[in-house]
Amino acid sequence: MNMIVLEHYLLVGAILFCLGFFCVLTRRNAVAVLMGVELIFNAANLNFVAFARFGTLNIDGIMFAIFIIMLAAAEATVALAIVLNIYRQLDTVNLDEADLMKG
Amino acid sequence: MLLAIIFTIFAAITIISAGMVVFSQNIVYSAFSLLFTFFGIAGLYVLLAADFLAATQLLIYVGGILVLLLFGVMLTHKIHEVNLSNESMRLAPAAIVVLSFLGLLSIVVYRTQWPTVPVPELTPTTARIGTLFMTDYLLPFEIASLVLLTALVGAVFIARGRVKK
C-alpha cells in the first residue's frame, strides 16, 4: 500500500546535500554561501527524520533534528554578524576579495 | 497512491527551488527560493509524521533564519547598485566533485540493506518531545539555551562596530 520507502527520502536528502555543497563551493557572495550551508543542514535533518520514521531511531531522530535547527539558528546569527563586520571593514562580501590574512 | 503523489509534489518543490537557490543569478531570488525549499521540507516532515518538527521548521527557518539572510543581503549591497550580483566561480571542478559525490551517495542509498522496522501508527509527537526534553534530554536542553544566549551576545558584540569614547 505504501510505496514511498526510506530510500526515496534518503535520495531527496542526497540531492539536497549536493546542491548545498555546490552552492558552498561556487558562490562568491558570503550570504549565498550561508544559504548553501542551510540547505546542507536541511538535508541532514531530513535524513534524521526519515530514519526516525522508518528505522530504529524512533523519536530520538526528531530530538536530534530539533537540536540541529537550534544550532543552525545560532550559526546563522553569528555568521551574519561576521559578514556585516567584513562588509564594514573591506566594503565587499565577496569571499575571494577578503584575503587580509593571506601571507 | 495518494501518499506517493503528495511525496512527489513536495520533493519536487524542495529540489526545484533548491536548484533555483543554487543557480539563480540574483541573490534576492535565491533568498526567496529558499523560502519554498523550507516549505517543501516542512511538507516532507508532515509526511514523516513529525508534526511538531514541521511547525518548528516553519517558525524558525522561515520566520527567523530566512529573514536574517534577507537582512544580510540588503545590508551588504550598496543600495544604488541595481543588479544584486550573485556570481559563481570555478564551476567545472565543483560540478565534477559534486556529481561524483551524488553518484556515490545514490549507490550507497540503494546498495545498503537499511535496518527498517514496520512503520508505526501516526501519533502526535509533541507531548512525547516535551517529556523527553525534561527527562532524558535535560542536559542538552540546558546547554542549548546557553549556546543560544552566547550566540545572541556574541552576534551583538561582533556586529556593533567600534565604540567611540
Side-chain angles (χ1 to χ4, degrees), chain B residues 112-159:
Chain B
T112 312
Q113 202 65 43
W114 301 104
T116 50
V117 292
V119 179
E121 284 286 304
L122 284 175
T123 47
T125 55
T126 315
R128 278 192 290 159
I129 288 172
T131 315
L132 278 175
F133 265 137
M134 285 295 123
T135 52
D136 288 1
Y137 287 88
L138 188 58
L139 183 63
F141 184 66
E142 294 296 331
I143 292 174
S145 60
L146 203 64
V147 166
L148 283 176
L149 179 68
T150 316
L152 201 65
V153 175
V156 171
F157 181 74
I158 292 171

Side-chain angles (χ1 to χ4, degrees), chain A residues 12-13 15-17 19-20 23 35-46, chain B residues 9-24 29-45 54 57-58 61-62 66 69:
Chain A
V12 173
I15 295 171
L16 208 59
F17 175 85
L19 283 170
C23 191
M35 291 178 196
V37 174
E38 298 301 334
L39 287 184
I40 293 176
F41 273 127
N42 271 291
N45 258 348
L46 190 62
Chain B
I9 291 172
F10 277 123
I13 289 176
T14 307
I15 288 170
I16 291 171
S17 55
M20 280 176 67
V21 172
V22 180
F23 295 110
S24 172
Y29 290 168
S30 288
F32 278 104
S33 305
L34 202 58
L35 172 82
F36 292 100
T37 311
F38 291 153
F39 177 75
I41 297 267
L44 290 179
Y45 286 163
Q57 166 92 1
L58 285 182
Y61 268 111
V62 178
L66 194 67
L69 285 173

Side-chain angles (χ1 to χ4, degrees), chain A:
Chain A
M1 171 235 163
N2 202 348
M3 284 162 293
I4 300 299
V5 289
L6 178 64
E7 278 82 2
H8 294 96
Y9 287 99
L10 293 187
L11 200 62
V12 173
I15 295 171
L16 208 59
F17 175 85
C18 286
L19 283 170
F21 194 33
F22 191 75
C23 191
V24 170
L25 284 178
T26 56
R27 286 300 199 195
R28 281 184 78 198
N29 191 313
V31 184
V33 171
L34 282 179
M35 291 178 196
V37 174
E38 298 301 334
L39 287 184
I40 293 176
F41 273 127
N42 271 291
N45 258 348
L46 190 62
N47 277 15
F48 268 118
V49 182
F51 278 114
R53 177 85 174 136
F54 294 103
T56 51
L57 206 50
N58 223 334
I59 198 156
D60 291 333
I62 295 177
M63 301 300 284
F64 255 87
I66 291 173
F67 282 116
I68 291 172
I69 288 180
M70 187 276 298
L71 278 179
E75 174 260 356
T77 357
V78 176
L80 247 309
I82 291 171
V83 168
L84 287 185
N85 221 356
I86 288 175
Y87 182 69
R88 204 179 294 134
Q89 301 272 335
L90 305 177
D91 211 34
T92 179
V93 286
N94 286 347
L95 291 170
D96 50 343
E97 291 168 35
D99 53 0
L100 285 180
M101 288 174 77
K102 210 179 200 174

